[in-house]
């Protein structure tokens, strides 16, 4: 888990737009979350009425006694944080604006054209941010409390660890993650840079980062002795399997020499850990590496490669092989499951109904489970 920070340039732009000083202290009672946003609370200070009927929860009650220098009703002592620190770490400046926050911005616009413009914004289509809307509607004026209420809470980003404490080369006590840097153009033409990925990209050796490791349970773990692994992933979904392979190479997990990795990416230049993966094939840790490039030539996906390898995979499925899928929950994971059912039919001779039941049985939670997924909603 990584707690990221907004780009300082974005914070500076927002402060300038709102005419606020970065050193302004925001005070609020201890026990009150400075991270509340989009209807879930907000920071304090700056004066003005912080409540709004469409924000889902009135802030005025929670902010009572929370203006500059006021004592906390809980401890008698105010908790003070600089506005710059709040905007850096407590709110997400690139998260799309909520409908409730958009309504507040429109209500606070003093110019009729701005009010009309804001009332016509399609948040689903544009994914416009609060900052973007404030920059386009110059007549909108907000108190500090209202501004913080409009901004989404900064949430931790979760990444799979792509290393093993058993790896050769003295990496015990060190963990690595594999991160895809989000750098794209939004529907409105704005340069969209992912908060966490770009924050991490700009760190230098020796910089401190707020992180915490968290167990995801006992299911998505390297295979036990004598159990081959069929690993399927796309993009940064490769991360946990790098750790699996390090375990296999070190003799700390099963599957060495009998496991297959199906990896999908758009182009050869985006083939993550290419040399390492090919090295695991060369030294016998991996039985085979199957790579699908979806944006070049044939435009193939991992599920299609799985079907092509039906005669190889069916005997593994009949044995003790474990299937691991890591990636997009909406499309890739269901497509992979359908592809493996097709393997059962084409290579195993099972009817469509029996093939479906066979894979469903592998997925059933319990001591005999051999199908595991670590998936997420794309774009989350």
């Amino acid at each position: 888990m990584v707690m990221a920070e907004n780009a300082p340039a974005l914070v500076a732009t927002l402060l300038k737009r709102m005419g606020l000083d970065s050193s302004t202290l925001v005070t609020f009672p201890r026990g009150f979350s400075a991270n509340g946003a989009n209807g879930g609370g907000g920071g304090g200070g700056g004066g003005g009425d912080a409540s709004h009927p469409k924000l889902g929860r009135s802030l005025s009650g929670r902010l009572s006694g929370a203006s500059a220098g006021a004592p906390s009703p809980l401890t008698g002592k105010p908790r003070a944080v600089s506005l710059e620190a709040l905007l850096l770490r407590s709110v997400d400046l690139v998260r799309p604006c909520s409908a409730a926050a958009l309504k507040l911005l429109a209500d606070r616009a003093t110019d009729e054209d701005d009010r009309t413009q804001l009332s016509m914004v399609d948040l689903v289509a544009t994914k416009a941010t609060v900052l973007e809307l404030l920059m386009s509607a110059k007549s909108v004026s907000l108190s500090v409390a209202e501004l913080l209420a409009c901004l989404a809470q900064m949430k931790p980003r979760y990444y799979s660890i792509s290393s093993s404490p058993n790896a050769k080369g003295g990496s015990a006590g060190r963990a690595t993650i594999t991160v895809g840097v989000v750098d794209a153009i939004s529907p409105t033409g704005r340069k969209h840079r992912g908060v966490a990925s770009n924050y991490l990209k700009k760190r230098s050796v020796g910089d401190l980062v707020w992180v915490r490791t968290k167990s995801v349970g006992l299911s998505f773990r390297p295979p036990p002795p004598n159990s081959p692994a069929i690993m399927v992933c796309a993009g940064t979904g490769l991360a946990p399997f790098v750790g699996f392979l390090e375990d296999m190479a070190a003799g700390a997990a099963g599957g060495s020499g009998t496991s297959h990795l199906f990896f999908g990416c758009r182009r050869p230049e985006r083939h993550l850990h290419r040399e390492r993966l090919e090295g695991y094939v060369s030294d016998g840790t991996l039985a085979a590496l199957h790579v699908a490039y979806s944006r070049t030539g044939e435009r193939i996906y991992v599920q299609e490669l799985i079907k092509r390898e039906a005669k190889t995979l069916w005997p593994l499925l009949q044995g003790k092989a474990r299937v691991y899928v890591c990636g997009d929950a909406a499309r890739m994971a269901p497509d992979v499951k359908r592809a493996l059912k097709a393997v059962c039919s084409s290579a195993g001779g099972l009817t469509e109904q029996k093939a479906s039941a066979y894979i469903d049985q592998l997925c059933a939670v319990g001591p005999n489970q051999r199908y595991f997924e670590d998936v997420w909603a794309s774009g989350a």
Side-chain angles (χ1 to χ4, degrees), residues 46 113 142 195 235 249 304 321 355:
D113 288 341
L142 301 172
V195 173
E304 295 164 39

Side-chain angles (χ1 to χ4, degrees), residues 34-289:
N35 289 359
N38 274 353
D49 180 12
S51 65
H52 188 270
K54 294 296 185 179
L55 282 177
R57 184 192 303 179
S58 171
L59 297 177
S60 58
R62 298 190 68 189
L63 291 173
S64 60
S67 57
S72 164
L74 300 181
T75 65
K77 297 180 181 179
R79 180 184 177 192
V81 179
S82 75
L83 181 57
E84 182 179 44
L86 275 177
L87 295 178
L88 271 173
R89 305 183 184 95
S90 295
V91 296
D92 189 337
L93 296 184
V94 303
R95 184 81 62 86
C97 179
S98 71
L102 177 61
K103 177 65 167 60
L104 175 60
L105 296 182
D107 287 350
R108 294 297 186 265
T110 57
D111 181 83
E112 187 62 34
D113 288 341
D114 282 348
R115 192 177 299 114
T116 300
Q117 173 190 325
L118 290 170
S119 68
M120 296 175 64
V121 172
D122 184 340
L123 293 175
V124 175
T126 64
K127 300 186 185 300
T129 66
V130 171
L131 175 57
E132 191 175 4
L133 294 171
L134 286 170
M135 294 302 292
S136 66
K138 298 290 189 180
S139 72
V140 174
S141 179
L142 301 172
S143 68
V144 172
E146 289 172 332
L147 173 63
L148 295 176
C150 285
L151 296 168
Q153 179 178 347
M154 180 71 83
K155 295 182 178 180
R157 269 58 171 183
Y158 293 92
Y159 300 97
S160 297
I161 292 177
S162 56
S163 58
S164 165
N166 301 306
K168 298 176 182 178
S171 59
R174 178 182 303 172
T176 67
I177 58 177
T178 299
V179 181
V181 178
V182 178
D183 193 341
I185 302 297
S186 76
T188 57
R190 169 181 52 84
K191 188 74 171 177
H192 173 73
R193 293 185 172 92
V195 173
S197 61
N198 281 277
Y199 169 72
L200 292 171
K201 178 184 177 182
K202 294 178 180 179
R203 297 311 96 196
S204 301
V205 175
D207 285 353
L208 297 179
V209 179
W210 292 100
V211 299
R212 186 178 72 182
T213 58
K214 179 181 179 181
S215 172
V216 295
L218 299 176
S219 61
F220 208 87
R221 290 288 185 268
N226 303 317
S227 294
I230 300 172
M231 300 168 282
V232 188
C233 61
T236 55
L238 174 64
F241 300 135
V242 176
F244 281 26
L245 291 168
E246 288 187 354
D247 261 348
M248 292 179 191
S256 181
T258 58
S259 296
H260 289 250
L261 173 61
F262 292 84
F263 171 59
C265 61
R266 294 189 173 187
R267 300 177 181 85
E269 59 268 25
R270 300 186 69 172
H271 188 155
L272 302 173
H273 299 291
R274 182 170 190 163
E275 292 184 3
R276 294 183 66 185
L277 297 179
E278 292 174 346
Y280 285 130
V281 175
S282 299
D283 67 18
T285 301
L286 263 179
L289 170 64

